[in-house]
């Protein structure tokens, strides 16, 4: 009984050293996800879920079907909501959050001690009178002493994983919004190309008839025919591009099977009456960018790891062994029992490895994290300025095409029609002016697309989530492919 009491006391010894850190906040099924949902809701005004069982999966699938059925034509806000609910890559990112929570939870648990019990004198009559029972518990005391630091590092990594999951959520939302804009613009371009195709077909047919009467040379006929052929090729390419753009929407929303039968609009929304003024966009970005907060936590975690390395520079494996020894001796039919405690300390002597290399690695890691944070802060401010500049400038460019270029081309076409009716100009001059007007409309559509893309990049520039370079949005490109109505 004396030995048992001593063994119980020794088992409690590591608990006294370890402190009272629990892992309750890391052990839940949705550990840390509430923070992710709250942060992303501010930037997206959308709901996101972490699916972890079949019931949740069925509930989300029903919600997605309801969203698809609610609208015949899928608008951008509904598309973003479906992506946040149904994107499988996003669910994988949330699983990484769960993995970090489990690591943090593990760091709060006590280290299991090693128990050994042995005896001598068993089975030998000569030694039976001198029986010895020994018990020993080995505990890594250094791990117990540094446990609070380990927990702090794991907690920082956990908070970093929360922010990383939030950044991934914002990336999916931003990618979805840009993909929707690109796809709709592609289909709108196709509609314009098809109108141009109708005009070109009429010109080609007229050229053929004039050629039969001898009023047009074969070279002139060939020029009209080749224009029709080239335009047909461009229209086919545009339609292919638009179909591929819609497939990108499908991938981001995680749709398959019967859910693929959805439609998107044939044209982008009109330009707003005015742009949003953001005079303090740099300050907003520095205050709200989640990826900048991730970099700050990386520096914090590295600093804590540096402190732990410094604390364990000389001694890396310190174990305390506590136990007891009970001796029983029988002499002249009298039994004598003695129980004594034992304590042993085991550690490595730092003769060869003095920890300087590990300290140097920790210092370099800290400086790397500090410089990456500084670089991120500079980039965040620049990205915010660039995003707003692209937003403001693309609005002016799109308005210019809408208010000046297209109306002027329309006026030229109307005047050409009047002169044609007055027999002042010929048919091909009228058709040429009509084609020029369609080209201007295509440029106007692309300028409007670039504005909406720039508008979609404002939120990622402020909150994080993959803002693109402003230069990518300033190209007023030629028609992207697509097909007309009911896409």
């Amino acid at each position: 009984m004396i030995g048992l009491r001593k063994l119980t006391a020794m088992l409690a010894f590591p608990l006294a050293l370890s402190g009272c850190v629990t892992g309750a906040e890391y052990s839940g099924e949705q550990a840390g996800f509430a923070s992710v949902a709250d942060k992303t809701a501010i930037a997206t005004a959308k709901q996101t879920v972490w699916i972890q069982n079949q019931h949740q999966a069925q509930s989300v699938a029903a919600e997605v079907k309801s969203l698809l059925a609610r609208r015949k034509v899928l608008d951008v806000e509904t598309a973003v909501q479906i992506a946040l609910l149904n994107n499988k890559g996003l669910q994988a990112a949330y699983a990484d959050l769960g993995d970090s929570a489990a690591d943090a939870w593990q760091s709060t648990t006590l280290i299991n001690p090693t128990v050994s019990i042995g005896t001598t004198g068993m089975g030998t009559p000569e030694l039976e009178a001198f029986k010895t029972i020994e018990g020993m518990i080995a505990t890594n005391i250094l791990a117990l002493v540094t446990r609070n630091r380990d927990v702090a590092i794991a907690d920082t990594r956990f908070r970093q994983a929360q922010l990383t999951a939030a950044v991934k959520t914002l990336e999916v939302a931003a990618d979805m919004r840009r993909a929707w804009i690109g796809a709709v613009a592609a289909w709108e371009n196709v509609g314009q190309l098809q109108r141009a195709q109708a005009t070109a077909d009429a010109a080609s047919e007229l050229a053929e008839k004039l050629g039969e009467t001898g009023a047009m040379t074969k070279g002139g006929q060939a020029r009209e025919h080749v224009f029709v052929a080239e335009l047909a090729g461009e229209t086919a390419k545009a339609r292919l591009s638009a179909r591929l753009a819609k497939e990108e929407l499908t991938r981001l929303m995680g749709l398959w099977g019967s859910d693929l039968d959805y439609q998107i609009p044939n044209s982008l929304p009109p330009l707003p009456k005015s742009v949003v003024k953001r005079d303090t966009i740099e300050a907003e970005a520095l205050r709200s960018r989640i990826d900048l907060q991730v970099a700050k936590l990386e520096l914090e975690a590295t600093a804590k790891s540096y402190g732990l390395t410094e604390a364990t520079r000389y001694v890396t494996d310190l174990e305390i062994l506590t136990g007891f020894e009970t001796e029983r001796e029988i002499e002249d039919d009298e039994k004598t029992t003695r129980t004594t405690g034992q304590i042993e300390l085991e550690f490595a002597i730092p003769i060869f490895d003095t920890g300087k290399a590990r300290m140097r690695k920790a210092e370099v890691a800290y400086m790397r994290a500090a410089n990456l944070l500084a670089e991120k802060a500079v980039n965040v401010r620049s990205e915010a300025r660039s995003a707003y500049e692209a937003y403001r400038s693309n609005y002016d460019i799109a308005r210019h095409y809408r208010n000046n270029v297209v109306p002027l081309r329309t006026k030229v076409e109307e005047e050409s029609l009047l002169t044609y009716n007055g027999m002042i100009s010929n048919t091909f001059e009228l058709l040429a002016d009509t084609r020029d007007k369609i080209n201007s409309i295509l440029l106007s559509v692309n300028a409007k697309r670039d504005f909406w893309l720039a508008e979609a990049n404002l939120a990622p520039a402020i909150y994080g989530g993959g803002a693109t370079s402003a230069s990518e949005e300033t190209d007023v490109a030629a028609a992207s492919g697509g097909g007309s109505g009911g896409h």
Side-chain angles (χ1 to χ4, degrees), residues 88-124:
K88 307 309 177 189
L90 192 55
Q91 293 301 315
Y94 296 158
D96 290 339
L97 172 61
D99 186 63
S100 179
D103 287 340
W105 185 11
Q106 181 67 44
S107 72
T108 65
T109 60
L110 297 172
I111 299 173
N112 294 326
T114 302
V115 179
S116 61
I117 299 177
T119 182
T120 61
M122 295 291 292
T124 305

Side-chain angles (χ1 to χ4, degrees), residues 98-276:
D99 186 63
S100 179
D103 287 340
W105 185 11
Q106 181 67 44
S107 72
T108 65
T109 60
L110 297 172
I111 299 173
N112 294 326
T114 302
V115 179
S116 61
I117 299 177
T119 182
T120 61
M122 295 291 292
T124 305
E126 293 79 5
L127 298 178
E128 184 67 24
F130 303 97
K131 184 183 293 185
T132 301
I133 299 175
E134 294 182 356
M136 194 65 66
I137 300 174
T139 300
N140 190 327
I141 192 171
L142 186 62
L144 293 173
V145 171
T146 60
R147 178 169 176 264
N148 288 339
R149 294 193 184 191
D150 289 331
V151 171
I153 292 171
D155 179 73
T156 302
R157 293 298 184 193
F158 172 64
R159 289 186 285 123
Q160 193 176 26
Q162 287 179 298
L163 296 177
T164 301
V167 170
K168 179 62 177 177
T169 305
L170 296 180
E171 284 179 359
V172 170
D175 289 344
M176 186 70 228
R177 195 173 294 274
R178 285 190 287 256
W180 186 92
I181 292 169
V184 173
W187 289 114
E188 186 171 2
N189 274 327
V190 167
Q192 297 299 332
L193 285 170
Q194 287 178 332
R195 295 184 185 92
Q197 185 76 50
T199 303
D201 288 341
S204 178
E205 183 179 349
L206 179 59
E208 185 176 355
K209 291 181 178 179
L210 290 176
E212 292 174 354
T213 62
M216 190 174 193
T217 64
K218 291 186 179 296
Q221 295 177 60
R223 277 190 291 272
E224 294 300 325
H225 295 332
V226 75
F227 176 75
V228 172
E230 289 175 347
L231 190 58
E234 290 299 316
T235 304
K237 285 174 59 179
R239 188 176 290 108
L240 172 61
S241 296
R243 287 172 179 166
L244 295 178
K246 188 180 177 184
E247 280 300 325
E248 185 180 358
L249 292 183
T250 301
R251 288 194 299 272
L252 287 170
M253 290 189 291
L255 302 179
W256 66 291
S258 60
D259 293 336
L260 297 180
D261 188 21
Y262 68 91
Q263 297 179 359
I264 59 175
N266 291 326
S267 62
L268 289 169
L271 294 175
K273 293 182 179 179
S274 61
V275 293
V276 178

Side-chain angles (χ1 to χ4, degrees), residues 428-443:
F428 296 105
E429 289 176 344
L430 173 61
L431 293 175
D433 290 335
T434 302
R435 286 198 297 266
D436 289 339
K437 175 191 172 184
I438 293 173
N439 287 333
S440 296
I441 292 174
L442 290 175
L443 292 173

Side-chain angles (χ1 to χ4, degrees), residues 443-473:
L443 292 173
S444 177
V445 169
N446 288 331
K448 182 172 62 171
R449 175 204 62 197
D450 290 343
F451 164 74
W452 285 116
L453 287 173
E455 194 270 346
N457 285 333
L458 278 180
I462 296 173
Y463 298 102
T468 60
S469 171
S471 61
E472 296 178 14
E473 310 304 337

Side-chain angles (χ1 to χ4, degrees), residues 399-418:
R399 283 188 62 196
H400 173 71
Y401 276 94
R402 184 193 66 182
N403 297 343
N404 299 314
V405 177
V406 173
L408 285 173
R409 282 296 182 188
T410 302
K411 183 66 174 177
V412 169
E413 182 189 38
E414 291 172 351
E415 292 298 321
S416 180
L417 180 60
L418 291 175

Side-chain angles (χ1 to χ4, degrees), residues 6-20:
K6 285 182 175 291
L7 179 62
T8 303
M10 292 166 189
L11 283 170
F13 178 68
L15 301 178
L17 290 175
S18 63
C20 301

